[in-house]
Amino acid sequence: MSSMQSVLDPQGPEAAAITTLAWVMFGGGAAICLAVAGLVVMAMGGGASVRRAIASERFVVWTGIVVPTVVLAALLAWGLVLTGGRNGAASPQALSVEITGEQWWWRIRYLPGTPDAVETANELTLPVGRDVELRLVSRDVIHSFWVPSLAGKVDMIPGTVNRLRLRASRAGVYRGQCAEYCGGPHALMSFHAVALEAQEFDSWLANQRRPATAPADADAMAGRTVFLKAGCHGCHTVRGLEATGIIGPDLTHVASRLTLGAATLPNDRDHFRRWVRDNQHLKPGNRMPSFGFLAERDLDQLAAWLGSLK
Amino acid sequence: MSSGTRDGRRGGRPMREGRLRRLLPWLPRARVLLRLAVLAFALVVVGGFLTIWSGVYSVAASRGHWPGFELLLKFAMRSSVRTHAFAIDVPPLGDADQLRRGAAHFQQGCAFCHGSPAGPSMLVVRGTLPEPPDLTPLVPTWQANELFWIVRNGLKYTGMPAWPALQREDEVWDVVTFLRALPTMTPERYRELAGLAADEPPASRRDDRQALLTACARCHERDTTAFPRLDLQTEAHLLDQLKAYAAGHRASGFMQAATAELTDAEMAWLAGHYAARPTKTAPAIAPEPSHREGEALFRRGAPELGVPACEACHAREAARRERAYPALLGQHAAYTANQLRLFKSGARNTTEPARLMATIAGRMTDEQINAVAAYLAAQVPLPEGERNMR
């Protein structure tokens, strides 16, 4: 079974361990269920000696107290080791990423607190085979970070830093989802985790550090003017431009992402246009107002420019 | 023991059954009475309908009411207003700017029926029933909340209209402020408050552009903070606003009344006229250190609340902002603050740009609204030569 968002198809050691645990629990649960059913059948239809054995105090103590205690304690210990292991000291090569849950999107900072820090949004790009150390925080309410293919859920709680270490073993695109109801369009607070081979990742990160590319044609040039005249920079940063808003997602390389609106829409010019004009219809209640009053031509040009920000 | 308490012939219940039984002989008579009542009711309904259908009752305004009927109607009106206005809280009234706005609107929207200190009502309205009363002796008989309710909702069957924009309660309070000052107002004071020139006829008739302009100038060319400054805005922006008012897309009892009858050509001409008028470059109020909070909001916003910098949209130069975004630098503080409160409360959210602003104002605190409005009032706007440059 293979999919972008499946606990049954782990793509990293964290998720694989959880999947193993899940299968063991499922298998164990099935075995216990069968055993209990067998005992019920024997208790009803077995011979007198069998029934006497089942009813004996010794049998009840062993199967009713000792076995469940041992099984549950073992599962607890295993689960603690499995999930607690993520909080251990990071390896020196680990990539540090801070993810902030905001209503209703993800602010993502690479190498936070270093001079090389770079911000992006709604897409976690990570190198294959290398530990990634996530600092999970929230700006407003409780969110929960969950990429089923890579790791278990970890809540993002205001005022607290939760850590999660994960690793992707194979290149690919995996889907993540806010897993704690966080109001309004919570269902549309998703993202993608994109695992790239080490070299590709390095060039991706180097590109993210660069300021926005200059407009390539007249349309894009005009689109940049529309962006500034409409006041988009009040909320959005585009590095290299006088656009330093920090309320919404950083758009410096927005066209390099797979989706718009936190995995609400595919990322192409047409959807960009629709998002700007009509986002309150597409993702009702999100914090960005719709800009339906912009002229059609202005919307086209704006979408052309934003679509060029690779 | 339990069977004893269950015995129906003991305790209180048999007594009650006994009383009911004594009523039984009356039951057939009660049925007769009920039938008679139903019959009488049907006769009244049918008879009433036939009377109305026959048309013998005259609806002529010229004939007046039957004796006593007018008293009954007034009693009903007074009672209804008193009850409906009971829970309305009266905000602080008596601000000089409120008085000016109220007077200016009274002149435009009320005086032709009710008359004013500057002149009598129009002859044609005096034949209505009831005739629109002179308000001078009536105002003291109402409480402020009752006046508010009447001006906002109008009065059924009297010809008194409701406020054109029900969500603009701020405007209605302006009129109430004026009404309460009306009984003791001299004609000279009224003319001054309403912006009437000494020689202007009280009910101005629009027959040429000069008269058209006079109607606007009564408010917008006066040296007062009661009305928004127009000498900051571009022609395109002014035209958009005139059209939005005229079509009822931007809610304002004052401005909808002022613009509803304008033709497109008149609106275009007015927008051009006001966009070309010289800018008063002296700031309305002097800059103060206390404006720093407002300046910070204007330049950087309040990101922690999701409030972007005002400047991002409301740039100083028209070339750097959408035509839907007004110029703010130099605007009167009271106007800016009032509009932000309207945005915040949802009273101004009927156009798409207004919804955009309503989203942002909804995140602002009242202190931030006042701070940024005060800062803006102390700023120097662009001179007229640069105002429209795109």
Side-chain angles (χ1 to χ4, degrees), chain A residues 57-96:
Chain A
E57 188 178 321
R58 209 178 130 131
F59 188 83
V60 169
V61 167
W62 273 98
T63 56
I65 298 174
V66 177
V67 171
T69 306
V70 169
V71 168
L72 290 176
L75 281 174
L76 178 66
W78 191 9
L80 283 177
V81 167
L82 206 68
T83 52
R86 301 181 304 197
N87 294 327
S91 66
Q93 301 84 27
L95 173 74
S96 169

mmCIF file of all heavy atoms in Angstrom, chain A residues 57-96:
data_model
loop_
_atom_site.group_PDB
_atom_site.id
_atom_site.type_symbol
_atom_site.label_atom_id
_atom_site.label_comp_id
_atom_site.label_asym_id
_atom_site.label_seq_id
_atom_site.Cartn_x
_atom_site.Cartn_y
_atom_site.Cartn_z
ATOM 1 N N GLU A 57 -9.306 -20.630 40.590
ATOM 2 C CA GLU A 57 -8.755 -19.351 41.007
ATOM 3 C C GLU A 57 -7.391 -19.108 40.367
ATOM 4 O O GLU A 57 -7.075 -18.003 39.936
ATOM 5 C CB GLU A 57 -8.638 -19.340 42.527
ATOM 6 C CG GLU A 57 -8.240 -17.964 43.050
ATOM 7 C CD GLU A 57 -8.164 -17.957 44.563
ATOM 8 O OE1 GLU A 57 -9.013 -18.596 45.200
ATOM 9 O OE2 GLU A 57 -7.229 -17.308 45.083
ATOM 10 N N ARG A 58 -6.622 -20.179 40.278
ATOM 11 C CA ARG A 58 -5.290 -20.085 39.705
ATOM 12 C C ARG A 58 -5.344 -19.567 38.259
ATOM 13 O O ARG A 58 -4.584 -18.683 37.866
ATOM 14 C CB ARG A 58 -4.697 -21.495 39.706
ATOM 15 C CG ARG A 58 -3.217 -21.537 39.818
ATOM 16 C CD ARG A 58 -2.884 -22.992 39.857
ATOM 17 N NE ARG A 58 -1.846 -23.219 38.890
ATOM 18 C CZ ARG A 58 -0.750 -23.898 39.185
ATOM 19 N NH1 ARG A 58 -0.608 -24.438 40.378
ATOM 20 N NH2 ARG A 58 0.183 -24.065 38.283
ATOM 21 N N PHE A 59 -6.289 -20.122 37.497
ATOM 22 C CA PHE A 59 -6.433 -19.723 36.092
ATOM 23 C C PHE A 59 -6.811 -18.239 35.975
ATOM 24 O O PHE A 59 -6.271 -17.498 35.159
ATOM 25 C CB PHE A 59 -7.513 -20.602 35.421
ATOM 26 C CG PHE A 59 -7.594 -20.398 33.930
ATOM 27 C CD1 PHE A 59 -6.721 -21.065 33.070
ATOM 28 C CD2 PHE A 59 -8.520 -19.530 33.385
ATOM 29 C CE1 PHE A 59 -6.791 -20.873 31.706
ATOM 30 C CE2 PHE A 59 -8.584 -19.322 32.018
ATOM 31 C CZ PHE A 59 -7.718 -20.002 31.171
ATOM 32 N N VAL A 60 -7.739 -17.836 36.839
ATOM 33 C CA VAL A 60 -8.191 -16.440 36.794
ATOM 34 C C VAL A 60 -7.034 -15.505 37.145
ATOM 35 O O VAL A 60 -6.811 -14.481 36.501
ATOM 36 C CB VAL A 60 -9.393 -16.232 37.752
ATOM 37 C CG1 VAL A 60 -9.702 -14.745 37.909
ATOM 38 C CG2 VAL A 60 -10.600 -16.974 37.237
ATOM 39 N N VAL A 61 -6.254 -15.863 38.168
ATOM 40 C CA VAL A 61 -5.131 -15.005 38.569
ATOM 41 C C VAL A 61 -4.117 -14.882 37.434
ATOM 42 O O VAL A 61 -3.659 -13.788 37.100
ATOM 43 C CB VAL A 61 -4.454 -15.558 39.850
ATOM 44 C CG1 VAL A 61 -3.110 -14.884 40.084
ATOM 45 C CG2 VAL A 61 -5.374 -15.361 41.044
ATOM 46 N N TRP A 62 -3.809 -16.002 36.795
ATOM 47 C CA TRP A 62 -2.795 -15.957 35.732
ATOM 48 C C TRP A 62 -3.287 -15.207 34.499
ATOM 49 O O TRP A 62 -2.643 -14.284 34.021
ATOM 50 C CB TRP A 62 -2.359 -17.382 35.346
ATOM 51 C CG TRP A 62 -1.242 -17.839 36.252
ATOM 52 C CD1 TRP A 62 -1.361 -18.631 37.350
ATOM 53 C CD2 TRP A 62 0.125 -17.475 36.135
ATOM 54 N NE1 TRP A 62 -0.149 -18.799 37.957
ATOM 55 C CE2 TRP A 62 0.795 -18.092 37.226
ATOM 56 C CE3 TRP A 62 0.866 -16.705 35.238
ATOM 57 C CZ2 TRP A 62 2.164 -17.957 37.426
ATOM 58 C CZ3 TRP A 62 2.230 -16.579 35.437
ATOM 59 C CH2 TRP A 62 2.859 -17.190 36.524
ATOM 60 N N THR A 63 -4.434 -15.636 33.980
ATOM 61 C CA THR A 63 -4.874 -15.027 32.708
ATOM 62 C C THR A 63 -5.587 -13.693 32.918
ATOM 63 O O THR A 63 -5.655 -12.874 32.011
ATOM 64 C CB THR A 63 -5.834 -15.959 31.937
ATOM 65 O OG1 THR A 63 -6.934 -16.264 32.810
ATOM 66 C CG2 THR A 63 -5.153 -17.212 31.487
ATOM 67 N N GLY A 64 -6.112 -13.460 34.103
ATOM 68 C CA GLY A 64 -6.867 -12.214 34.322
ATOM 69 C C GLY A 64 -6.023 -11.119 34.915
ATOM 70 O O GLY A 64 -6.337 -9.932 34.756
ATOM 71 N N ILE A 65 -4.930 -11.460 35.604
ATOM 72 C CA ILE A 65 -4.133 -10.419 36.262
ATOM 73 C C ILE A 65 -2.690 -10.411 35.761
ATOM 74 O O ILE A 65 -2.194 -9.402 35.267
ATOM 75 C CB ILE A 65 -4.170 -10.596 37.806
ATOM 76 C CG1 ILE A 65 -5.614 -10.457 38.301
ATOM 77 C CG2 ILE A 65 -3.263 -9.562 38.475
ATOM 78 C CD1 ILE A 65 -5.790 -10.744 39.781
ATOM 79 N N VAL A 66 -2.033 -11.561 35.842
ATOM 80 C CA VAL A 66 -0.600 -11.599 35.534
ATOM 81 C C VAL A 66 -0.342 -11.309 34.049
ATOM 82 O O VAL A 66 0.432 -10.407 33.708
ATOM 83 C CB VAL A 66 0.006 -12.962 35.943
ATOM 84 C CG1 VAL A 66 1.472 -13.010 35.546
ATOM 85 C CG2 VAL A 66 -0.163 -13.184 37.442
ATOM 86 N N VAL A 67 -1.027 -12.044 33.170
ATOM 87 C CA VAL A 67 -0.768 -11.873 31.731
ATOM 88 C C VAL A 67 -1.089 -10.432 31.269
ATOM 89 O O VAL A 67 -0.245 -9.790 30.638
ATOM 90 C CB VAL A 67 -1.532 -12.931 30.906
ATOM 91 C CG1 VAL A 67 -1.447 -12.613 29.414
ATOM 92 C CG2 VAL A 67 -0.962 -14.323 31.183
ATOM 93 N N PRO A 68 -2.289 -9.878 31.574
ATOM 94 C CA PRO A 68 -2.560 -8.500 31.142
ATOM 95 C C PRO A 68 -1.552 -7.510 31.699
ATOM 96 O O PRO A 68 -1.111 -6.588 30.988
ATOM 97 C CB PRO A 68 -3.955 -8.215 31.708
ATOM 98 C CG PRO A 68 -4.586 -9.540 31.886
ATOM 99 C CD PRO A 68 -3.467 -10.482 32.226
ATOM 100 N N THR A 69 -1.149 -7.678 32.965
ATOM 101 C CA THR A 69 -0.189 -6.741 33.557
ATOM 102 C C THR A 69 1.127 -6.785 32.793
ATOM 103 O O THR A 69 1.697 -5.745 32.429
ATOM 104 C CB THR A 69 0.047 -7.092 35.039
ATOM 105 O OG1 THR A 69 -1.215 -7.139 35.690
ATOM 106 C CG2 THR A 69 0.930 -6.055 35.707
ATOM 107 N N VAL A 70 1.600 -7.980 32.523
ATOM 108 C CA VAL A 70 2.880 -8.125 31.818
ATOM 109 C C VAL A 70 2.778 -7.544 30.401
ATOM 110 O O VAL A 70 3.625 -6.759 29.967
ATOM 111 C CB VAL A 70 3.299 -9.617 31.775
ATOM 112 C CG1 VAL A 70 4.473 -9.815 30.814
ATOM 113 C CG2 VAL A 70 3.662 -10.100 33.173
ATOM 114 N N VAL A 71 1.694 -7.893 29.707
ATOM 115 C CA VAL A 71 1.552 -7.436 28.315
ATOM 116 C C VAL A 71 1.459 -5.909 28.254
ATOM 117 O O VAL A 71 2.162 -5.245 27.485
ATOM 118 C CB VAL A 71 0.304 -8.079 27.670
ATOM 119 C CG1 VAL A 71 -0.019 -7.397 26.335
ATOM 120 C CG2 VAL A 71 0.547 -9.572 27.447
ATOM 121 N N LEU A 72 0.604 -5.348 29.111
ATOM 122 C CA LEU A 72 0.411 -3.891 29.063
ATOM 123 C C LEU A 72 1.674 -3.157 29.493
ATOM 124 O O LEU A 72 2.037 -2.126 28.917
ATOM 125 C CB LEU A 72 -0.776 -3.478 29.947
ATOM 126 C CG LEU A 72 -2.151 -3.903 29.406
ATOM 127 C CD1 LEU A 72 -3.254 -3.537 30.371
ATOM 128 C CD2 LEU A 72 -2.405 -3.268 28.038
ATOM 129 N N ALA A 73 2.372 -3.684 30.512
ATOM 130 C CA ALA A 73 3.605 -3.033 30.970
ATOM 131 C C ALA A 73 4.644 -3.053 29.850
ATOM 132 O O ALA A 73 5.342 -2.054 29.615
ATOM 133 C CB ALA A 73 4.139 -3.732 32.221
ATOM 134 N N ALA A 74 4.717 -4.175 29.152
ATOM 135 C CA ALA A 74 5.691 -4.276 28.063
ATOM 136 C C ALA A 74 5.360 -3.282 26.952
ATOM 137 O O ALA A 74 6.243 -2.582 26.432
ATOM 138 C CB ALA A 74 5.698 -5.696 27.505
ATOM 139 N N LEU A 75 4.077 -3.197 26.620
ATOM 140 C CA LEU A 75 3.671 -2.254 25.571
ATOM 141 C C LEU A 75 3.965 -0.816 25.993
ATOM 142 O O LEU A 75 4.435 0.003 25.199
ATOM 143 C CB LEU A 75 2.170 -2.400 25.277
ATOM 144 C CG LEU A 75 1.767 -3.575 24.387
ATOM 145 C CD1 LEU A 75 0.256 -3.675 24.306
ATOM 146 C CD2 LEU A 75 2.378 -3.410 22.983
ATOM 147 N N LEU A 76 3.690 -0.515 27.271
ATOM 148 C CA LEU A 76 3.941 0.836 27.769
ATOM 149 C C LEU A 76 5.423 1.170 27.659
ATOM 150 O O LEU A 76 5.810 2.237 27.159
ATOM 151 C CB LEU A 76 3.470 0.943 29.223
ATOM 152 C CG LEU A 76 3.712 2.304 29.887
ATOM 153 C CD1 LEU A 76 2.860 3.371 29.212
ATOM 154 C CD2 LEU A 76 3.392 2.241 31.384
ATOM 155 N N ALA A 77 6.255 0.217 28.113
ATOM 156 C CA ALA A 77 7.700 0.450 28.075
ATOM 157 C C ALA A 77 8.158 0.662 26.631
ATOM 158 O O ALA A 77 8.909 1.602 26.321
ATOM 159 C CB ALA A 77 8.429 -0.736 28.700
ATOM 160 N N TRP A 78 7.684 -0.170 25.744
ATOM 161 C CA TRP A 78 8.073 -0.070 24.333
ATOM 162 C C TRP A 78 7.642 1.288 23.772
ATOM 163 O O TRP A 78 8.405 2.001 23.129
ATOM 164 C CB TRP A 78 7.428 -1.219 23.547
ATOM 165 C CG TRP A 78 7.964 -1.359 22.157
ATOM 166 C CD1 TRP A 78 9.031 -0.713 21.629
ATOM 167 C CD2 TRP A 78 7.417 -2.197 21.137
ATOM 168 N NE1 TRP A 78 9.216 -1.088 20.328
ATOM 169 C CE2 TRP A 78 8.237 -2.005 19.996
ATOM 170 C CE3 TRP A 78 6.360 -3.095 21.080
ATOM 171 C CZ2 TRP A 78 7.982 -2.676 18.803
ATOM 172 C CZ3 TRP A 78 6.124 -3.759 19.896
ATOM 173 C CH2 TRP A 78 6.932 -3.545 18.768
ATOM 174 N N GLY A 79 6.381 1.637 24.044
ATOM 175 C CA GLY A 79 5.852 2.911 23.541
ATOM 176 C C GLY A 79 6.645 4.093 24.075
ATOM 177 O O GLY A 79 6.960 5.030 23.338
ATOM 178 N N LEU A 80 7.010 4.014 25.369
ATOM 179 C CA LEU A 80 7.757 5.132 25.951
ATOM 180 C C LEU A 80 9.131 5.254 25.314
ATOM 181 O O LEU A 80 9.587 6.350 24.983
ATOM 182 C CB LEU A 80 7.897 4.941 27.468
ATOM 183 C CG LEU A 80 6.633 5.262 28.287
ATOM 184 C CD1 LEU A 80 6.864 4.966 29.759
ATOM 185 C CD2 LEU A 80 6.227 6.711 28.085
ATOM 186 N N VAL A 81 9.770 4.110 25.141
ATOM 187 C CA VAL A 81 11.095 4.132 24.517
ATOM 188 C C VAL A 81 10.993 4.707 23.100
ATOM 189 O O VAL A 81 11.765 5.562 22.677
ATOM 190 C CB VAL A 81 11.694 2.709 24.490
ATOM 191 C CG1 VAL A 81 12.917 2.655 23.572
ATOM 192 C CG2 VAL A 81 12.053 2.268 25.898
ATOM 193 N N LEU A 82 9.942 4.263 22.395
ATOM 194 C CA LEU A 82 9.757 4.659 20.998
ATOM 195 C C LEU A 82 9.515 6.160 20.864
ATOM 196 O O LEU A 82 10.145 6.851 20.070
ATOM 197 C CB LEU A 82 8.530 3.905 20.469
ATOM 198 C CG LEU A 82 8.490 3.670 18.987
ATOM 199 C CD1 LEU A 82 9.577 2.701 18.623
ATOM 200 C CD2 LEU A 82 7.126 3.088 18.632
ATOM 201 N N THR A 83 8.576 6.664 21.681
ATOM 202 C CA THR A 83 8.217 8.075 21.528
ATOM 203 C C THR A 83 9.175 8.969 22.298
ATOM 204 O O THR A 83 9.436 10.090 21.898
ATOM 205 C CB THR A 83 6.779 8.320 22.013
ATOM 206 O OG1 THR A 83 6.645 7.780 23.321
ATOM 207 C CG2 THR A 83 5.784 7.656 21.094
ATOM 208 N N GLY A 84 9.712 8.448 23.421
ATOM 209 C CA GLY A 84 10.639 9.266 24.212
ATOM 210 C C GLY A 84 11.953 9.453 23.504
ATOM 211 O O GLY A 84 12.637 10.451 23.697
ATOM 212 N N GLY A 85 12.317 8.521 22.655
ATOM 213 C CA GLY A 85 13.601 8.583 21.965
ATOM 214 C C GLY A 85 13.740 9.831 21.124
ATOM 215 O O GLY A 85 14.838 10.327 20.889
ATOM 216 N N ARG A 86 12.591 10.396 20.716
ATOM 217 C CA ARG A 86 12.640 11.562 19.844
ATOM 218 C C ARG A 86 13.112 12.803 20.591
ATOM 219 O O ARG A 86 13.446 13.793 20.005
ATOM 220 C CB ARG A 86 11.247 11.845 19.282
ATOM 221 C CG ARG A 86 10.715 10.687 18.510
ATOM 222 C CD ARG A 86 9.367 10.997 17.965
ATOM 223 N NE ARG A 86 8.435 11.383 19.031
ATOM 224 C CZ ARG A 86 7.117 11.381 18.854
ATOM 225 N NH1 ARG A 86 6.616 11.034 17.710
ATOM 226 N NH2 ARG A 86 6.328 11.733 19.827
ATOM 227 N N ASN A 87 13.059 12.744 21.917
ATOM 228 C CA ASN A 87 13.406 13.929 22.681
ATOM 229 C C ASN A 87 14.870 13.946 23.104
ATOM 230 O O ASN A 87 15.305 14.848 23.782
ATOM 231 C CB ASN A 87 12.527 14.030 23.924
ATOM 232 C CG ASN A 87 11.077 14.262 23.523
ATOM 233 O OD1 ASN A 87 10.824 14.917 22.527
ATOM 234 N ND2 ASN A 87 10.160 13.684 24.270
ATOM 235 N N GLY A 88 15.609 12.932 22.728
ATOM 236 C CA GLY A 88 17.014 12.873 23.113
ATOM 237 C C GLY A 88 17.832 13.947 22.427
ATOM 238 O O GLY A 88 17.331 14.731 21.634
ATOM 239 N N ALA A 89 19.118 14.009 22.787
ATOM 240 C CA ALA A 89 19.989 15.030 22.214
ATOM 241 C C ALA A 89 20.081 14.842 20.700
ATOM 242 O O ALA A 89 20.135 13.727 20.200
ATOM 243 C CB ALA A 89 21.372 14.917 22.836
ATOM 244 N N ALA A 90 20.082 15.953 20.009
ATOM 245 C CA ALA A 90 20.150 15.896 18.556
ATOM 246 C C ALA A 90 21.555 15.522 18.121
ATOM 247 O O ALA A 90 22.521 15.882 18.772
ATOM 248 C CB ALA A 90 19.775 17.251 17.982
ATOM 249 N N SER A 91 21.623 14.812 17.021
ATOM 250 C CA SER A 91 22.945 14.530 16.492
ATOM 251 C C SER A 91 23.493 15.817 15.887
ATOM 252 O O SER A 91 22.733 16.687 15.472
ATOM 253 C CB SER A 91 22.845 13.427 15.430
ATOM 254 O OG SER A 91 22.116 13.921 14.326
ATOM 255 N N PRO A 92 24.819 15.948 15.867
ATOM 256 C CA PRO A 92 25.401 17.213 15.397
ATOM 257 C C PRO A 92 25.043 17.526 13.951
ATOM 258 O O PRO A 92 24.959 18.696 13.577
ATOM 259 C CB PRO A 92 26.907 16.985 15.543
ATOM 260 C CG PRO A 92 27.108 15.658 16.158
ATOM 261 C CD PRO A 92 25.801 14.969 16.296
ATOM 262 N N GLN A 93 24.797 16.492 13.157
ATOM 263 C CA GLN A 93 24.475 16.751 11.751
ATOM 264 C C GLN A 93 23.007 17.080 11.537
ATOM 265 O O GLN A 93 22.592 17.359 10.421
ATOM 266 C CB GLN A 93 24.802 15.538 10.868
ATOM 267 C CG GLN A 93 26.238 15.086 10.889
ATOM 268 C CD GLN A 93 26.479 14.162 12.072
ATOM 269 O OE1 GLN A 93 25.572 13.489 12.559
ATOM 270 N NE2 GLN A 93 27.732 14.140 12.554
ATOM 271 N N ALA A 94 22.198 17.002 12.625
ATOM 272 C CA ALA A 94 20.756 17.182 12.439
ATOM 273 C C ALA A 94 20.457 18.579 11.906
ATOM 274 O O ALA A 94 21.089 19.553 12.285
ATOM 275 C CB ALA A 94 20.026 16.956 13.752
ATOM 276 N N LEU A 95 19.464 18.627 11.037
ATOM 277 C CA LEU A 95 19.012 19.901 10.486
ATOM 278 C C LEU A 95 17.956 20.468 11.435
ATOM 279 O O LEU A 95 17.002 19.788 11.794
ATOM 280 C CB LEU A 95 18.395 19.668 9.105
ATOM 281 C CG LEU A 95 17.728 20.875 8.460
ATOM 282 C CD1 LEU A 95 18.775 21.864 7.968
ATOM 283 C CD2 LEU A 95 16.829 20.433 7.310
ATOM 284 N N SER A 96 18.159 21.729 11.829
ATOM 285 C CA SER A 96 17.227 22.327 12.783
ATOM 286 C C SER A 96 16.162 23.146 12.051
ATOM 287 O O SER A 96 16.480 23.993 11.221
ATOM 288 C CB SER A 96 18.023 23.213 13.740
ATOM 289 O OG SER A 96 17.144 23.995 14.499
#
